[in-house]
Amino acid sequence: MLRTALTLRAPARSFALAKLGSRLPSALHPPLRSPLLSRFKQPQNQVRHQSSGQGGSASSDTVVLGLVSANVLVTIGWMKAQTSSARHPTQLPMKLMLTHFTTSTQHLKEGRYYTLLTAMFSQASLGHLGANMLGLYFFGREISHVLGPRRFLGLYLVGGVLSSAAAVLEQHLSGRLTFNLGASGAVNAITAMSVLLFPHGTLLLFGIVPMPAWLGGSMFIFKDAYSFATDKQDGIGHVAHLSGALVGGLYFYYLRRRAIRNFPFGRF
Protein backbone atom coordinates (compact mmCIF):
# COMPACT_ATOMS: atom_id res chain seq x y z
CA MET A 1 0.00 0.00 0.00
CA LEU A 2 1.50 3.30 -0.97
CA ARG A 3 0.75 5.71 1.83
CA THR A 4 0.39 9.47 1.63
CA ALA A 5 0.79 9.95 5.38
CA LEU A 6 3.43 8.39 7.59
CA THR A 7 1.41 8.40 10.80
CA LEU A 8 -1.89 6.83 9.73
CA ARG A 9 -2.20 3.12 10.42
CA ALA A 10 -3.20 0.77 7.64
CA PRO A 11 -6.20 -1.52 8.11
CA ALA A 12 -5.45 -5.22 8.23
CA ARG A 13 -5.93 -6.94 4.92
CA SER A 14 -8.28 -9.89 5.06
CA PHE A 15 -6.70 -11.18 1.87
CA ALA A 16 -3.78 -12.33 4.01
CA LEU A 17 -6.06 -14.86 5.71
CA ALA A 18 -7.25 -16.52 2.54
CA LYS A 19 -7.22 -20.25 2.01
CA LEU A 20 -7.12 -21.25 -1.60
CA GLY A 21 -8.61 -24.59 -2.47
CA SER A 22 -9.08 -24.43 -6.21
CA ARG A 23 -7.03 -26.31 -8.79
CA LEU A 24 -4.89 -24.44 -11.26
CA PRO A 25 -6.24 -25.02 -14.77
CA SER A 26 -4.01 -27.36 -16.71
CA ALA A 27 -3.69 -24.99 -19.66
CA LEU A 28 -0.88 -23.07 -17.94
CA HIS A 29 1.17 -26.23 -17.34
CA PRO A 30 3.00 -24.80 -14.29
CA PRO A 31 6.00 -26.49 -12.62
CA LEU A 32 5.18 -29.58 -10.58
CA ARG A 33 6.94 -28.21 -7.52
CA SER A 34 3.71 -26.41 -6.59
CA PRO A 35 1.97 -28.21 -3.70
CA LEU A 36 -1.35 -27.30 -5.32
CA LEU A 37 -0.44 -29.21 -8.45
CA SER A 38 1.04 -32.44 -7.16
CA ARG A 39 -1.90 -34.37 -8.60
CA PHE A 40 -1.02 -33.33 -12.16
CA LYS A 41 1.42 -35.39 -14.20
CA GLN A 42 3.67 -34.03 -16.92
CA PRO A 43 6.36 -35.52 -19.14
CA GLN A 44 9.77 -35.42 -17.48
CA ASN A 45 11.40 -33.46 -20.32
CA GLN A 46 8.67 -30.81 -20.07
CA VAL A 47 9.28 -30.41 -16.34
CA ARG A 48 13.03 -29.99 -16.88
CA HIS A 49 12.40 -27.39 -19.58
CA GLN A 50 10.11 -25.36 -17.35
CA SER A 51 12.45 -25.54 -14.37
CA SER A 52 15.35 -24.19 -16.37
CA GLY A 53 13.16 -21.38 -17.68
CA GLN A 54 12.02 -20.37 -14.21
CA GLY A 55 15.36 -19.73 -12.57
CA GLY A 56 16.95 -23.16 -12.13
CA SER A 57 17.46 -24.12 -8.50
CA ALA A 58 16.18 -20.85 -7.05
CA SER A 59 13.68 -21.59 -4.30
CA SER A 60 10.27 -19.96 -4.53
CA ASP A 61 9.97 -19.83 -0.76
CA THR A 62 13.41 -18.23 -0.50
CA VAL A 63 12.32 -15.41 -2.82
CA VAL A 64 9.21 -14.73 -0.75
CA LEU A 65 11.10 -14.81 2.54
CA GLY A 66 13.79 -12.59 1.03
CA LEU A 67 11.19 -9.97 0.11
CA VAL A 68 9.66 -10.16 3.59
CA SER A 69 13.12 -9.75 5.15
CA ALA A 70 13.90 -6.72 2.97
CA ASN A 71 10.66 -5.05 4.06
CA VAL A 72 11.39 -5.81 7.71
CA LEU A 73 14.93 -4.39 7.50
CA VAL A 74 13.79 -1.15 5.87
CA THR A 75 11.01 -0.79 8.45
CA ILE A 76 13.58 -1.22 11.22
CA GLY A 77 15.50 1.59 9.54
CA TRP A 78 12.41 3.79 9.78
CA MET A 79 11.95 2.94 13.45
CA LYS A 80 15.56 3.79 14.24
CA ALA A 81 15.28 7.03 12.28
CA GLN A 82 12.19 8.05 14.21
CA THR A 83 13.89 7.23 17.52
CA SER A 84 17.14 9.02 16.73
CA SER A 85 15.51 12.11 15.22
CA ALA A 86 14.83 13.45 18.69
CA ARG A 87 18.56 13.29 19.48
CA HIS A 88 19.71 14.83 16.18
CA PRO A 89 18.91 18.54 15.78
CA THR A 90 19.31 18.19 12.01
CA GLN A 91 17.07 15.08 11.94
CA LEU A 92 19.56 13.55 9.51
CA PRO A 93 18.40 9.90 9.85
CA MET A 94 14.80 10.81 9.05
CA LYS A 95 15.89 12.99 6.14
CA LEU A 96 17.88 10.09 4.71
CA MET A 97 14.89 7.76 4.91
CA LEU A 98 12.53 10.34 3.40
CA THR A 99 15.02 11.07 0.64
CA HIS A 100 15.80 7.50 -0.36
CA PHE A 101 12.85 5.34 0.77
CA THR A 102 9.81 7.39 -0.22
CA THR A 103 8.84 8.73 -3.62
CA SER A 104 7.03 11.82 -4.89
CA THR A 105 6.98 14.24 -7.79
CA GLN A 106 9.82 16.11 -6.09
CA HIS A 107 11.92 12.95 -5.91
CA LEU A 108 11.54 12.37 -9.64
CA LYS A 109 12.24 16.01 -10.51
CA GLU A 110 15.51 15.68 -8.61
CA GLY A 111 16.42 12.54 -10.56
CA ARG A 112 15.83 9.97 -7.80
CA TYR A 113 13.92 7.56 -10.03
CA TYR A 114 15.17 4.61 -7.99
CA THR A 115 12.76 5.64 -5.23
CA LEU A 116 9.92 4.16 -7.30
CA LEU A 117 11.51 0.84 -6.28
CA THR A 118 12.86 1.57 -2.80
CA ALA A 119 9.61 3.15 -1.60
CA MET A 120 7.82 -0.18 -1.98
CA PHE A 121 10.00 -1.66 0.78
CA SER A 122 9.02 1.06 3.27
CA GLN A 123 6.11 0.60 5.67
CA ALA A 124 4.53 3.38 7.70
CA SER A 125 4.08 1.38 10.91
CA LEU A 126 4.34 -2.10 12.39
CA GLY A 127 0.64 -2.62 11.63
CA HIS A 128 1.23 -1.58 8.04
CA LEU A 129 4.19 -3.96 7.83
CA GLY A 130 2.27 -6.85 9.39
CA ALA A 131 -0.76 -6.52 7.10
CA ASN A 132 1.32 -6.32 3.93
CA MET A 133 3.72 -9.09 4.89
CA LEU A 134 0.89 -11.47 5.79
CA GLY A 135 -0.54 -10.90 2.33
CA LEU A 136 2.87 -11.31 0.71
CA TYR A 137 3.64 -14.50 2.62
CA PHE A 138 0.36 -16.36 2.14
CA PHE A 139 -0.43 -15.27 -1.40
CA GLY A 140 3.22 -15.03 -2.41
CA ARG A 141 4.06 -18.62 -1.51
CA GLU A 142 1.14 -19.93 -3.55
CA ILE A 143 1.81 -17.78 -6.59
CA SER A 144 5.59 -18.25 -6.51
CA HIS A 145 5.10 -22.02 -6.65
CA VAL A 146 2.75 -21.62 -9.60
CA LEU A 147 4.76 -19.07 -11.60
CA GLY A 148 8.24 -19.98 -10.46
CA PRO A 149 10.60 -17.61 -8.61
CA ARG A 150 11.64 -15.45 -11.59
CA ARG A 151 8.16 -14.71 -12.86
CA PHE A 152 6.86 -14.20 -9.35
CA LEU A 153 9.64 -11.75 -8.49
CA GLY A 154 9.12 -9.94 -11.78
CA LEU A 155 5.38 -9.60 -11.15
CA TYR A 156 5.97 -8.35 -7.60
CA LEU A 157 8.58 -5.75 -8.57
CA VAL A 158 6.78 -4.53 -11.68
CA GLY A 159 3.52 -4.27 -9.74
CA GLY A 160 5.25 -2.28 -7.01
CA VAL A 161 7.14 0.09 -9.32
CA LEU A 162 4.13 0.80 -11.55
CA SER A 163 1.88 1.39 -8.55
CA SER A 164 4.50 3.81 -7.19
CA ALA A 165 4.51 5.59 -10.54
CA ALA A 166 0.70 5.73 -10.55
CA ALA A 167 0.69 7.28 -7.07
CA VAL A 168 3.21 9.92 -8.15
CA LEU A 169 1.20 10.65 -11.31
CA GLU A 170 -1.96 11.10 -9.23
CA GLN A 171 -0.03 13.44 -6.95
CA HIS A 172 1.22 15.44 -9.94
CA LEU A 173 -2.27 15.78 -11.43
CA SER A 174 -3.85 16.76 -8.11
CA GLY A 175 -1.13 19.24 -7.21
CA ARG A 176 -0.62 17.68 -3.77
CA LEU A 177 2.91 17.13 -2.48
CA THR A 178 3.02 13.96 -0.40
CA PHE A 179 5.45 11.17 0.36
CA ASN A 180 4.40 7.79 -1.02
CA LEU A 181 5.55 4.46 0.36
CA GLY A 182 4.39 0.91 0.98
CA ALA A 183 4.22 -2.58 -0.49
CA SER A 184 0.48 -2.89 -1.08
CA GLY A 185 0.68 -2.13 -4.79
CA ALA A 186 3.04 -5.09 -5.22
CA VAL A 187 1.01 -7.28 -2.85
CA ASN A 188 -2.19 -6.41 -4.72
CA ALA A 189 -0.59 -7.57 -7.98
CA ILE A 190 0.07 -10.96 -6.36
CA THR A 191 -3.38 -11.03 -4.78
CA ALA A 192 -5.13 -10.26 -8.06
CA MET A 193 -3.24 -13.07 -9.78
CA SER A 194 -4.25 -15.45 -6.99
CA VAL A 195 -7.93 -14.47 -7.10
CA LEU A 196 -8.04 -14.85 -10.88
CA LEU A 197 -6.30 -18.22 -10.77
CA PHE A 198 -8.48 -19.52 -7.93
CA PRO A 199 -11.77 -17.56 -8.13
CA HIS A 200 -13.71 -20.23 -6.25
CA GLY A 201 -11.22 -20.50 -3.42
CA THR A 202 -12.35 -19.36 0.01
CA LEU A 203 -11.39 -16.06 1.61
CA LEU A 204 -11.95 -15.58 5.32
CA LEU A 205 -12.97 -11.95 5.70
CA PHE A 206 -11.29 -10.63 8.86
CA GLY A 207 -10.43 -14.27 9.55
CA ILE A 208 -14.09 -15.08 10.29
CA VAL A 209 -16.51 -14.65 7.39
CA PRO A 210 -15.95 -17.10 4.49
CA MET A 211 -16.65 -15.95 0.97
CA PRO A 212 -15.59 -16.87 -2.57
CA ALA A 213 -12.30 -15.32 -3.63
CA TRP A 214 -13.90 -13.57 -6.61
CA LEU A 215 -16.42 -11.85 -4.32
CA GLY A 216 -13.83 -10.78 -1.75
CA GLY A 217 -11.54 -9.47 -4.48
CA SER A 218 -14.39 -7.57 -6.11
CA MET A 219 -15.32 -5.95 -2.79
CA PHE A 220 -11.82 -4.64 -2.20
CA ILE A 221 -11.53 -3.39 -5.78
CA PHE A 222 -14.87 -1.58 -5.42
CA LYS A 223 -13.79 -0.05 -2.10
CA ASP A 224 -10.58 1.35 -3.57
CA ALA A 225 -12.31 2.49 -6.76
CA TYR A 226 -15.02 4.30 -4.79
CA SER A 227 -12.49 5.96 -2.48
CA PHE A 228 -10.41 7.07 -5.47
CA ALA A 229 -13.44 8.35 -7.41
CA THR A 230 -14.65 10.37 -4.42
CA ASP A 231 -11.12 11.67 -3.69
CA LYS A 232 -11.21 10.30 -0.16
CA GLN A 233 -8.29 11.72 1.82
CA ASP A 234 -7.60 8.92 4.30
CA GLY A 235 -3.84 8.58 3.86
CA ILE A 236 -4.23 5.42 1.78
CA GLY A 237 -2.96 5.20 -1.79
CA HIS A 238 -6.10 3.84 -3.45
CA VAL A 239 -4.80 4.49 -6.96
CA ALA A 240 -1.70 2.46 -6.09
CA HIS A 241 -3.89 -0.42 -4.91
CA LEU A 242 -5.88 -0.35 -8.12
CA SER A 243 -2.74 -0.10 -10.25
CA GLY A 244 -1.16 -3.10 -8.55
CA ALA A 245 -4.32 -5.16 -9.02
CA LEU A 246 -4.42 -4.10 -12.68
CA VAL A 247 -0.85 -5.30 -13.21
CA GLY A 248 -1.71 -8.69 -11.71
CA GLY A 249 -4.84 -8.94 -13.83
CA LEU A 250 -3.06 -8.04 -17.05
CA TYR A 251 -0.31 -10.57 -16.37
CA PHE A 252 -2.89 -13.26 -15.69
CA TYR A 253 -4.61 -12.62 -19.02
CA TYR A 254 -1.25 -12.51 -20.80
CA LEU A 255 -0.39 -15.97 -19.45
CA ARG A 256 -3.87 -17.21 -20.21
CA ARG A 257 -3.70 -16.01 -23.80
CA ARG A 258 -0.28 -17.58 -24.31
CA ALA A 259 -1.37 -20.83 -22.67
CA ILE A 260 -4.42 -21.16 -24.91
CA ARG A 261 -2.28 -20.45 -27.96
CA ASN A 262 0.39 -22.99 -26.98
CA PHE A 263 -2.01 -25.62 -25.65
CA PRO A 264 -5.19 -25.30 -27.73
CA PHE A 265 -6.80 -28.36 -26.17
CA GLY A 266 -6.36 -27.18 -22.59
CA ARG A 267 -9.23 -25.59 -20.73
CA PHE A 268 -8.89 -22.46 -18.64
Side-chain angles (χ1 to χ4, degrees):
M1 179 189 307
L2 275 88
R3 303 291 298 272
T4 54
L6 295 178
T7 57
L8 187 64
R9 291 187 177 182
R13 289 295 177 194
S14 61
F15 278 178
L17 302 174
K19 294 182 179 179
L20 302 175
S22 301
R23 293 171 56 180
L24 181 72
S26 59
L28 280 180
H29 290 273
L32 284 179
R33 61 177 172 273
S34 170
L36 293 174
L37 306 171
S38 58
R39 71 193 73 180
F40 293 102
K41 301 297 182 182
Q42 292 176 289
Q44 190 65 28
N45 60 345
Q46 187 178 21
V47 174
R48 285 197 298 267
H49 172 72
Q50 290 172 347
S51 297
S52 62
Q54 294 299 327
S57 60
S59 167
S60 297
D61 287 346
T62 299
V63 172
V64 174
L65 293 176
L67 290 172
V68 171
S69 299
N71 279 272
V72 170
L73 289 174
V74 175
T75 302
I76 291 174
W78 277 104
M79 295 173 64
K80 288 185 174 295
Q82 291 172 352
T83 301
S84 61
S85 290
R87 300 194 298 267
H88 289 267
T90 61
Q91 295 189 335
L92 180 60
M94 182 59 70
K95 287 182 178 179
L96 288 174
M97 296 302 293
L98 289 171
T99 298
H100 300 293
F101 288 94
T102 65
T103 191
S104 67
T105 54
Q106 189 64 33
H107 284 74
L108 301 190
K109 287 178 181 178
E110 295 173 358
R112 294 195 295 274
Y113 298 103
Y114 61 88
T115 58
L116 294 174
L117 175 66
T118 57
M120 61 185 280
F121 292 96
S122 292
Q123 313 300 322
S125 66
L126 289 178
H128 189 202
L129 173 70
N132 280 335
M133 293 306 99
L134 281 174
L136 172 57
Y137 181 76
F138 286 108
F139 284 103
R141 291 187 69 223
E142 294 288 350
I143 298 305
S144 65
H145 282 296
V146 172
L147 297 181
R150 282 189 178 181
R151 285 179 177 171
F152 166 76
L153 183 60
L155 174 60
Y156 183 86
L157 295 178
V158 170
V161 169
L162 291 184
S163 61
S164 294
V168 172
L169 177 61
E170 179 201 19
Q171 174 187 340
H172 173 72
L173 295 176
S174 66
R176 291 189 289 263
L177 179 60
T178 54
F179 296 104
N180 303 288
L181 72 162
S184 286
V187 173
N188 276 14
I190 302 302
T191 301
M193 172 67 78
S194 177
V195 170
L196 289 169
L197 281 172
F198 311 111
H200 301 293
T202 300
L203 291 176
L204 297 179
L205 187 62
F206 306 118
I208 301 174
V209 182
M211 65 175 58
W214 66 265
L215 178 59
S218 299
M219 289 173 57
F220 278 92
I221 291 293
F222 175 80
K223 176 182 178 296
D224 280 318
Y226 177 79
S227 297
F228 172 62
T230 57
D231 197 26
K232 186 176 182 180
Q233 299 301 306
D234 54 3
I236 298 175
H238 299 289
V239 70
H241 290 186
L242 294 170
S243 300
L246 178 62
V247 170
L250 290 176
Y251 190 53
F252 167 81
Y253 284 106
Y254 164 76
L255 292 179
R256 177 183 179 181
R257 182 181 180 88
R258 195 176 71 170
I260 292 175
R261 183 171 62 248
N262 292 340
F263 306 99
F265 298 104
R267 292 189 303 168
F268 201 86

